[in-house]
Amino acid sequence: MIIKNICCIGAGYVGGPTMAVIAQKCPEIDVTVVDINKERIDAWNDEDVENIPIYEPGLSAVVKEARGRNLFFSTDVDAAIDKADMIFISVNTPTKTYGIGKGMAADLKFIELCARQIARVAKNDKIVVEKSTLPVRTAEALKNILDNTGNGVNYQILSNPEFLAEGTAVDDLMNPDRVLIGGDIDTEEGKQAVEALVDIYAHWVSRERLLTTNVWSSELSKLTANAFLAQRVSSINAMSELCEKTGADVNEVAKAVGMDSRIGPKFLKSSVGFGGSCFQKDILNLVYISKSFGLNEVADYWEQVILMNDHQKRRFAAKIVQTLFNTVSGKKIALLGWAFKKDTNDTRESAAIYVADYLLNEQAEVMVYDPKVKTEQIYADLDYLNTRSSEENRARVKVVNTPYEATKDSHAVAVLTEWDEFIALDWKKIYEEMLKPAFLFDGRRLLERKTKEEIGFEFYAIGS
Ligand code: NAD
Ligand code: UDX
């Protein structure tokens, strides 16, 4: 089975970069990425490749090479489905905000809409690939919708979850630890579909990293991987609080623990709390699935990872208030960083949002600087919480273009995203322009304590 045309529905953080890399590596395949969001598609097509809607190191170069050659961005979803031999579904699967499973289950309405659109449009056989992260056994529902249209088209459903992390997406896609492909490996047609997708990745990924499984294992492995990663962060964050009470240092503990080859050093960096569009959503989904099978202990176990993370965000904000003599009312607090991690403009579930909201509830005046996040996004994130009116958010939060504007005349500075540029700031100048005592809170263990204390800062860092 030779794939000549690929369609990807969803031009977001996963669809865009993944398809750009497939197009770059497979010049003989036409790849069309479609989305109902016209603004997003227009941005992907922007003449100036630096204006593509997603900031990822190295991405604009890949897009520049392939766009217009065999990589296309379009809002014509029907045409792309019609033409494709293989269709990736890469739409968002957020936590449900209504009805049964509200606040827990994954909202699959966008997935179902895609399936119905494919069923309506397709005239020849298709391989449909789940790229979105989905609850285990979603492929069954997809197949049901696709097979019951009665137009004689045959579908193979594959699960091919994406493991890229934002900020390193291009490198993760170019050099993946593994590519997971789940399919109906008990049938000849299923095996052929799996092989077709394996052949695509084999253009640049060695065969031993291409892992094929049954569909359910693939779907569940994605949720499991995210749960394990998030659990490590919550585990080290739990220890960070104990470190602060005991005089241990969480970085030293993480290093000592991580040198055990059975544990390993990654994902043991204590922080103000994990954010991002995936960890919380996917664990909540896992909790929901476990509960729906009556596995209450399993559900409780994973839910604790989220509870610990919420605690960490709250605890950091509370520490600021407590340190500033138990009140931040009317005080100016500068937040450095809004993105959920460095090297991305994504702010979904960023700890900064919750820290800011907490401080605003305590009547602080908040100044924000982030090198990549747009001003409207910061207000939109706060408005989404519905804690106060959008007018009030705009009156009490100022977003500025340089870190020094944020920190000038402030009572305290808090580092919330580990952007490299924050390390090299002129901290002496910042200190001189702040009110005294000048408090500096490092939520990322980014800054060196000694030099900051020598300047004169009252320095607090997570986990020490
Ligand atoms: P996103 O919100 O950035 O992009 C999804 C896009 O799908 C949006 O642009 C939206 O307009 C579009 N869309 C929704 N319904 C559509 C429809 N019916 N037709 C056409 N377009 C439609 O989301 P994302 O971050 O790219 O995540 C997509 C999926 O990948 C999610 O399931 C997520 O859990 C998973 N995932 C995300 C990451 C990550 O780092 N962001 C990593 C791995 C997996
Ligand atoms: C994650 C998974 O890593 C990726 O495999 C999956 O496909 C999508 O979800 P992402 O959310 O983009 O990727 O970034 P990640 O690097 O995992 O960071 C998630 C959050 O955890 C960030 O807020 C980050 O700052 C935080 N984190 C990560 C820590 O606080 N400490 C760590 O040691 C690692």
Side-chain angles (χ1 to χ4, degrees), residues 243-351:
C243 285
E244 287 169 33
K245 296 284 181 217
T246 56
D249 181 297
V250 77
N251 279 3
E252 292 179 353
V253 172
K255 185 165 183 191
V257 169
M259 281 175 77
D260 186 324
S261 62
R262 294 167 303 175
I263 296 174
K266 293 181 181 166
F267 271 74
L268 290 181
K269 179 92 184 159
S270 182
S271 68
V272 56
F274 61 74
S277 64
C278 293
F279 281 177
Q280 174 164 309
K281 160 177 85 74
D282 293 344
I283 293 179
L284 287 172
N285 185 8
L286 194 60
V287 170
Y288 183 75
I289 295 170
S290 305
K291 277 192 182 150
S292 68
F293 286 107
L295 308 180
N296 293 326
E297 290 76 8
V298 177
D300 290 349
Y301 176 76
W302 287 110
E303 190 164 25
Q304 201 58 36
V305 173
I306 308 264
L307 297 180
M308 186 64 225
N309 195 51
D310 289 340
H311 171 66
Q312 188 77 346
K313 293 181 272 189
R314 231 179 4 251
R315 170 171 103 72
F316 183 81
K319 180 81 187 179
I320 296 178
V321 177
Q322 184 203 335
T323 310
L324 269 67
F325 317 110
N326 288 316
T327 176
V328 290
S329 179
K331 291 182 182 169
K332 197 164 147 183
I333 315 285
L335 305 185
L336 297 185
W338 192 265
F340 80 97
K341 62 187 282 197
K342 73 171 179 178
D343 293 339
T344 177
N345 60 348
D346 195 348
T347 63
R348 289 177 286 182
E349 289 301 327
S350 178

Side-chain angles (χ1 to χ4, degrees), residues 224-258:
T224 309
N226 273 352
F228 274 47
L229 289 168
Q231 181 208 44
R232 284 174 69 97
V233 179
S234 274
S235 295
I236 199 70
N237 280 344
M239 300 325 286
S240 75
E241 192 170 14
L242 197 52
C243 285
E244 287 169 33
K245 296 284 181 217
T246 56
D249 181 297
V250 77
N251 279 3
E252 292 179 353
V253 172
K255 185 165 183 191
V257 169

Side-chain angles (χ1 to χ4, degrees), residues 5 30 47-48 81 176 193-194 226 245 260 263 298 303 307 311 316 326 351 376 381 397 443 447 450:
N5 286 292
D30 275 357
E47 242 173 84
D48 181 354
I81 291 174
V194 169
N226 273 352
K245 296 284 181 217
D260 186 324
I263 296 174
V298 177
E303 190 164 25
L307 297 180
H311 171 66
F316 183 81
N326 288 316
E376 316 87 75
D381 290 336
V397 179
L447 307 174
K450 187 163 166 279

Side-chain angles (χ1 to χ4, degrees), residues 12-14 35 40 91-93 132-133 162 166 281 348:
Y13 283 86
V14 168
D35 204 294
R40 214 168 205 185
V91 300
N92 38 326
T93 49
S132 299
T133 302
E162 185 48 61
E166 290 179 28
K281 160 177 85 74
R348 289 177 286 182

Side-chain angles (χ1 to χ4, degrees), residues 396-418:
R396 306 246 319 274
V397 179
K398 285 230 149 23
V399 183
V400 291
N401 292 321
T402 68
Y404 303 107
E405 279 171 82
T407 55
K408 191 164 187 289
D409 298 326
S410 65
H411 291 76
V413 175
V415 175
L416 298 182
T417 310
E418 73 283 21

Side-chain angles (χ1 to χ4, degrees), residues 339-375:
F340 80 97
K341 62 187 282 197
K342 73 171 179 178
D343 293 339
T344 177
N345 60 348
D346 195 348
T347 63
R348 289 177 286 182
E349 289 301 327
S350 178
I353 303 169
Y354 297 94
V355 171
D357 189 56
Y358 187 106
L359 295 172
L360 289 165
N361 281 343
E362 293 289 334
Q363 299 187 347
E365 304 294 319
V366 173
M367 305 291 288
V368 183
Y369 167 74
D370 186 285
K372 289 289 173 198
V373 178
K374 297 211 169 99
T375 303

